[in-house]
Amino acid sequence: MAPQDSLVFKVRRCEAELVRPAKPTPRERRRLSDVDDQEGLRFQIPEIQFYRGDGTGRDPVQAVREGLARALVFYYPLAGRLRELPGRKLVVDCNEAGVMFVEADADVTLEQFGDALQPPFPCLEELLFDVPGSSAVLDAPLLLIQVTRLKCGGFIFAVRLNHTMCDAPGLVQFMSAVGEMARGADAPSVLPVWERELLDARDPPRITCTHREFDQVEDTKGTLMPLDDMEHRSFFFGAAQMSALRSRVPPHQHASTKFEILTACLWRCRTIALQPDPEEEVRVLCIVNARTKFDPPLPAGYYGNAFAFPVAVTSADKLCQNPLGYALELVKKAKADVTEEYMRSLADLMVIRGRPHFAVVRSFLVSDTTKAGFGDVDFGWGKAVYGGPAKGGVGAIPGVASFYIPFRNRQGESGIVVPVCLPAPAMRRFVQELDALLKDPPPATSNKKSTFVISSL
């Protein structure tokens, strides 16, 4: 898919305001869990929703603002501010300081977005304006929300979240509560559960599992992404594309999930495109929701971070020279690593090792949001036309992460859209490699080996 750069429009914003809980809430300090406050989650993550108008003339800005204030009575920690204690422990000062809110109008219709209704979105920085002074992790609003009215009566809801507070299911749970309150409910259908101590380290902490996702990897060859000349593109995988990829793995792997096959494919194509030295280690980190891995499972209303980044590690030449089934086996094994004991060990590692960042050198991180439910959030105008991450490559280190987002294309075909962020020359090689996998007939016996180019870095 080509990048969508052609649509240009103007956005008129009102001055940013702080929306506080509609009723008084407890003034207290609440500790984040030892999984929440790891270094790799200390950043702001953008998410965006597009909605059609309903012809009634109702004001979405007013509806969302009121729903937000009422939902914050239940989710009052989100109206607070983060503080850091000794040992890099994060706590929320529940002080009703409020959520940053921006009202805006754009001279564009939903229809004008056309095929651009997928990341990277045109004029994203106008639809989710970075209010000066609002983006710090500590002592700043934990949420920034912008509601932009469109000329057609539709609107865009964009949100930026301090990731230490919630993961994707947690954010969807909160947004759904805002939607329910905006539609007149007295209380959210799922009441929030704080209980962050459920994911705290044991006493004494002890690392009982292997966590190679937190290896300290030196960037000896300068292979971290350059921040300039980065290209954002999205790729659509419908039934035909998934069938083509599935045909490239041996019969005993045909029962693999879409996530597993897609992750193996993208990891391999991306590695070939980035041209690391053949002997260097490369890794893929898969975000796995651990809510159901506990016995008993975490409470239904838990909205903190409850996931792990299990990792698959191999050398660049093994990944690129072997058939796709090799990468697929590594991905499947990594996913299976996540258990309750793994999560306990992860929390313990954070305390023992000072809350490190996950390995980013020659790493690719994938997060499946297809079941998160962003598109189901209803503020009173029905389900979103698009709901999900606003762009790929976000995080403390740009270019490392991609998201799998549920998507229906202009032809009405359902599938998965994946935003990818790479340096421009690598993006060209990535597209070439992916096209070859999707278009070339699969070999009768084994996959063709990719031409592996030694890095010139």
Side-chain angles (χ1 to χ4, degrees):
M1 290 185 177
Q4 302 289 344
D5 297 324
S6 52
L7 182 62
V8 178
F9 50 87
K10 286 194 172 67
V11 177
R12 186 177 56 78
R13 283 181 305 276
C14 298
E15 195 169 334
E17 58 186 294
L18 287 165
V19 174
R20 295 179 171 85
K23 296 177 186 170
T25 59
R27 297 295 183 101
E28 59 190 10
R29 282 195 162 193
R30 292 213 152 186
R31 288 166 60 93
L32 295 191
S33 82
D34 288 323
V35 171
D36 288 324
D37 58 12
Q38 60 184 288
E39 186 62 33
L41 298 183
R42 297 184 183 209
F43 73 97
Q44 308 279 352
I45 191 157
E47 194 278 334
I48 195 164
Q49 314 269 119
F50 289 74
Y51 292 91
R52 296 193 192 285
D54 62 359
T56 63
R58 288 183 302 148
D59 182 12
V61 171
Q62 184 182 348
V64 172
R65 188 194 282 115
E66 289 177 3
L68 176 62
R70 296 180 63 221
L72 286 172
V73 174
F74 298 88
Y75 287 85
Y76 62 89
L78 290 173
R81 298 291 182 266
L82 278 187
R83 314 284 186 230
E84 190 172 53
L85 303 182
R88 304 186 71 230
K89 186 71 216 167
L90 295 182
V91 299
V92 187
D93 181 4
C94 301
N95 58 6
E96 296 186 359
V99 165
M100 187 73 75
F101 186 86
V102 178
E103 171 183 349
D105 292 274
D107 64 346
V108 67
T109 67
L110 199 56
E111 269 55 48
Q112 282 176 269
F113 277 87
D115 285 330
L117 216 51
Q118 64 186 33
F121 293 100
C123 307
L124 177 62
E125 64 288 345
E126 297 293 322
L127 299 172
L128 186 56
F129 180 64
D130 181 11
V131 177
S134 71
S135 60
V137 171
L138 301 176
D139 305 317
L142 298 170
L143 284 164
L144 181 148
I145 292 171
Q146 179 172 329
V147 180
T148 305
R149 303 179 193 92
L150 303 177
K151 278 199 311 189
C152 56
F155 68 98
I156 299 169
F157 173 99
V159 58
R160 192 186 67 196
L161 166 75
N162 184 319
H163 205 331
T164 62
M165 292 298 291
C166 312
D167 57 11
L171 176 58
V172 169
Q173 182 184 309
F174 171 68
M175 286 167 50
S176 299
V178 173
E180 288 174 334
M181 305 306 269
R183 300 197 315 270
D186 292 325
S189 56
V190 177
L191 289 172
V193 173
W194 185 259
E195 292 184 25
R196 303 292 170 107
E197 66 279 2
L198 291 171
L199 283 170
D200 270 349
R202 296 171 284 204
D203 187 17
R206 54 196 185 276
I207 301 170
T208 51
C209 299
T210 304
H211 297 279
R212 294 210 57 196
E213 63 271 31
F214 294 101
D215 285 355
Q216 299 302 300
V217 184
E218 292 297 316
D219 187 20
T220 53
K221 303 282 177 68
T223 48
L224 275 180
M225 299 279 184
L227 297 186
D228 51 355
D229 198 28
M230 293 295 274
E231 194 171 317
H232 290 260
R233 290 182 66 169
S234 278
F235 300 87
F236 178 75
F237 296 87
Q241 290 81 6
M242 290 310 304
S243 176
L245 294 180
R246 209 173 282 276
S247 71
R248 292 190 167 273
V249 301
H252 73 274
Q253 291 181 325
H254 280 185
S256 304
T257 66
K258 280 184 189 176
F259 173 87
E260 291 162 352
I261 290 177
L262 200 47
T263 300
C265 160
L266 295 175
W267 181 30
R268 189 168 174 272
C269 289
R270 186 178 179 277
T271 304
I272 291 165
L274 285 169
Q275 300 179 339
D277 283 355
E279 76 285 357
E280 288 190 306
E281 276 189 346
V282 292
R283 59 194 70 215
V284 64
L285 293 84
C286 307
I287 288 185
V288 173
N289 183 348
R291 280 166 171 74
T292 60
K293 307 288 183 184
F294 289 82
D295 184 18
L298 293 181
Y302 188 87
Y303 63 104
N305 291 285
F307 65 86
F309 309 101
V311 66
V313 184
T314 187
S315 66
D317 61 341
K318 280 185 183 169
L319 178 64
C320 301
Q321 300 287 0
N322 273 300
L324 188 58
Y326 173 79
L328 179 55
E329 205 52 50
L330 291 174
V331 168
K332 289 162 79 80
K333 184 182 177 307
K335 268 182 64 191
D337 283 345
V338 181
T339 60
E340 178 169 355
E341 183 61 29
Y342 190 94
M343 295 302 293
R344 301 275 172 230
S345 176
L346 169 62
D348 294 355
L349 178 147
M350 289 299 153
V351 169
I352 290 169
R353 289 184 37 196
R355 313 183 197 284
H357 200 294
F358 57 85
V360 294
V361 177
R362 296 180 297 280
S363 292
F364 178 42
L365 186 149
V366 291
S367 177
D368 182 4
T369 69
T370 57
K371 298 180 182 71
F374 284 110
D376 296 332
V377 173
D378 181 359
F379 298 106
W381 281 258
K383 291 186 179 184
V385 183
Y386 171 93
K391 61 181 179 179
V394 297
I397 311 293
V400 170
S402 277
F403 301 96
Y404 298 171
I405 304 164
F407 190 75
R408 187 181 294 271
N409 65 16
R410 297 291 300 263
Q411 290 72 46
E413 183 187 5
S414 293
I416 297 170
V417 74
V418 183
V420 174
C421 176
L422 285 170
M427 183 65 85
R428 288 193 291 275
R429 293 190 290 268
F430 177 85
V431 170
Q432 191 176 359
E433 197 63 33
L434 183 59
D435 281 351
L437 275 182
L438 294 174
K439 288 175 183 166
D440 287 358
T445 50
S446 66
N447 291 25
K448 77 168 188 187
K449 290 187 176 181
S450 284
T451 307
F452 190 66
V453 184
I454 291 178
S455 172
S456 58
L457 292 171

